[in-house]
Amino acid sequence: MHIPLDRQQDVPLYLQIEEALRRAILTGVFVDGDKLPSTRTLASELAVSRLTVDNAYAELAAKGFLRQRRGSGAYVTHPLTQARPARPASDAPFPPESFTTLTSRLDGYADAPLPDHIVNFAAGVGSPKVFPLEEFRRILLSVLSRHAEEAFSYGEYCGYYPLRDTLGRILSAQGIPTQAEQLLITNGSQHAISLVVQSLLAPGDTVIVEEPTYAEALGLLRLHRINIVTIPSDRHGMQVDLLPALLERHRPKLIYTIPNFHNPTGRCLSEARRRRLLAIAQRAGVVILEDDFVGDLRYQGKHLPALRSLAQPGAVIYVGTFSKMLLPSMRIGYLVADAEHYQGFARLKHVDSFTSSSLIQRALDAFVTVGRYDKQLRRAGRVYRQHLAVMVKALHDHLPSGCSFETPQGGLFVWLSLPPTVTTAALMPVAWRHGVTFARGECFYAQEQHGAHGLRLNFAANTPPLIEEGIARLCRAIKEVITQDAAG
């Protein structure tokens, strides 16, 4: 059995084997009931340990692609396929079935899982395959064996102090001087943003946001009946020269910005604009909320200073997360604020969600020492840099004329612009039929129609072969829509 293994990748060999076998099953190379080679035989053929193949087969079995019979071997089994609904009429909204990015519009996580044949570029997170699962498992077991009673308690509502201290040292090493007493641990960065919005704003207040911007921030602001005023952005980030007029006209209480590897565009705010933004906001007395959700994931270009590192005390509230860098399920984020804001955020967190998982915080502190964090950062950077290069090359090879995209210097996303005659509404059903999905540009605009020709592509969450195949499918779908439009 030929399974190409890349021993230079940071993706574990057992996951490479599992993916190759799963794809072979899905494409019909193996059919239901076929017997796979024994773990000893396959390990010998691939020159890997038997444990590596055992782990690959265990992954397949857990996903429903394999059943193992004691004393007999491993046999292919196809997961139950769901009945495909009739194709909708041409004037019906797409798509009516449960597998859709329309209901859960960003990440492709519908009420039911996406079919295995769909290449999902809509995700908003990185790949769990770059996380050292075995090492973290050992740390969890160690915490449980040594501190079980404390780990299962509520803990401090501001957050586990040693973790806050560790985080403060990491941020200080990155040029953002931070004390543990300025750090509030939250249940993900979305929770941190929510605490800021609820503490500083009231219904009818105004916030200025970049256009486009993080969709869930827009949803949160709408939920609290906040007036949203947008400011355009270009390849250098927010067009801050337009800010004074907006401040004069709308008198906002807050400016929300993602200066590093922006979601969804991947852009970075230039250093000159950062300093200009801070000067304008300070003169107007407006607080800035800096969302640095993947600021560490830089693959090229020079490091840019955080807004908070350049600002006067009280001028910038800084939000970060471990969900994108490590694992989404950890749900550990944080905010950094000065005394005038911190106590209000801490009191609100106490009544809003009481505390964050003491067990996960303790395990995370044991994992995220400065040395370990840097090691994991370098590892993720190597993997994602490769993924980005594969996506950029595939887009150069296949993207039809009239389309354009921006190559980011870091982060998780590539922003693609369609021709004026092609909308995501027209593209989505065709792309779905070709076996690929994406995050629609409309989700990232306060006035959704402004995003009708943009889409966000996640290059981090898929493997290089899937990226190549997914981009080829997407570009075929775009060409089909262009041809249909030309035919009238």
Side-chain angles (χ1 to χ4, degrees), residues 287-303:
V287 174
I288 295 172
L289 175 55
E290 178 179 14
D291 185 353
D292 198 21
F293 78 114
V294 285
D296 290 343
L297 290 174
R298 175 174 288 279
Y299 317 129
Q300 57 180 308
K302 70 171 186 174
H303 170 79

Side-chain angles (χ1 to χ4, degrees), residues 139-452:
I139 290 172
L140 271 175
L141 290 176
S142 174
V143 169
L144 287 173
S145 65
R146 292 183 294 113
H147 306 290
E149 186 174 340
E150 298 92 339
F152 287 129
S153 68
Y154 279 121
E156 305 168 65
Y157 66 86
C158 290
Y160 181 52
Y161 190 88
L163 175 60
R164 290 156 59 198
D165 184 62
T166 299
L167 265 175
R169 288 187 283 109
I170 290 174
L171 291 172
S172 296
Q174 294 174 346
I176 310 171
T178 306
Q179 300 294 319
E181 291 75 16
Q182 297 172 299
L183 271 155
L184 181 68
I185 302 298
T186 62
N187 300 314
S189 61
Q190 181 74 7
H191 184 214
I193 296 169
S194 176
L195 293 177
V196 174
V197 168
Q198 293 181 71
S199 295
L200 301 188
L201 304 174
D205 285 345
T206 295
V207 171
I208 290 182
V209 304
E210 296 147 319
E211 187 174 57
T213 193
Y214 173 44
E216 299 300 347
L218 292 175
L220 181 65
L221 294 170
R222 292 185 184 114
L223 176 67
H224 292 284
R225 293 178 290 161
I226 306 300
N227 180 39
I228 301 170
V229 172
T230 60
I231 181 170
S233 62
D234 57 24
R235 63 190 182 92
H236 298 296
M238 180 193 299
Q239 296 182 22
V240 295
D241 286 342
L242 303 177
L243 191 56
L246 292 175
L247 293 175
E248 178 67 27
R249 187 179 314 132
H250 298 284
R251 306 290 181 181
K253 294 285 186 68
L254 189 71
I255 297 171
Y256 171 72
T257 182
I258 310 172
N260 293 320
F261 316 126
H262 177 266
N263 183 3
T265 64
R267 299 163 178 160
C268 282
L269 185 66
S270 69
E271 184 169 349
R273 290 191 183 183
R274 290 172 192 241
R275 296 182 184 278
R276 175 85 169 129
L277 169 60
L278 288 168
I280 293 171
Q282 184 173 341
R283 282 198 300 270
V286 180
V287 174
I288 295 172
L289 175 55
E290 178 179 14
D291 185 353
D292 198 21
F293 78 114
V294 285
D296 290 343
L297 290 174
R298 175 174 288 279
Y299 317 129
Q300 57 180 308
K302 70 171 186 174
H303 170 79
L304 292 168
L307 293 173
R308 182 167 173 87
S309 70
L310 301 172
Q312 298 294 319
V316 174
I317 299 160
Y318 181 90
V319 167
T321 180
F322 287 102
S323 295
K324 307 300 187 291
M325 181 64 215
L326 299 177
L327 283 179
S329 60
M330 283 186 172
R331 304 310 305 144
I332 298 293
Y334 56 91
L335 64 79
V336 182
D338 295 298
E340 61 195 89
H341 296 126
Y342 184 91
Q343 287 305 319
F345 299 152
R347 284 194 297 270
L348 179 58
K349 188 208 170 179
H350 183 60
V351 299
D352 174 74
S353 58
F354 200 59
T355 188
S356 301
S357 168
S358 181
L359 172 61
I360 296 299
Q361 287 185 77
R362 287 170 178 269
L364 194 56
D365 179 57
F367 177 80
V368 184
T369 61
V370 173
R372 274 199 182 118
Y373 186 81
D374 288 344
K375 180 181 177 182
Q376 174 63 12
L377 195 59
R378 289 192 299 272
R379 185 169 184 260
R382 287 194 302 271
V383 174
Y384 295 159
R385 184 185 297 112
Q386 179 194 18
H387 290 194
L388 173 59
V390 170
M391 178 172 282
V392 167
K393 183 180 185 302
L395 287 169
H396 279 304
D397 289 345
H398 300 292
L399 198 63
S401 61
C403 299
S404 62
F405 68 94
E406 301 178 27
T407 303
Q409 294 185 324
L412 304 174
F413 309 122
V414 167
W415 181 251
L416 190 150
S417 297
L418 299 168
T421 57
V422 178
T423 65
T424 57
L427 176 60
M428 181 176 282
V430 180
W432 187 264
R433 180 157 41 83
H434 281 268
V436 63
T437 190
F438 51 83
R440 301 183 304 121
E442 292 96 324
C443 304
F444 306 98
Y445 285 79
Q447 295 183 325
E448 292 193 355
Q449 67 273 21
H450 292 171

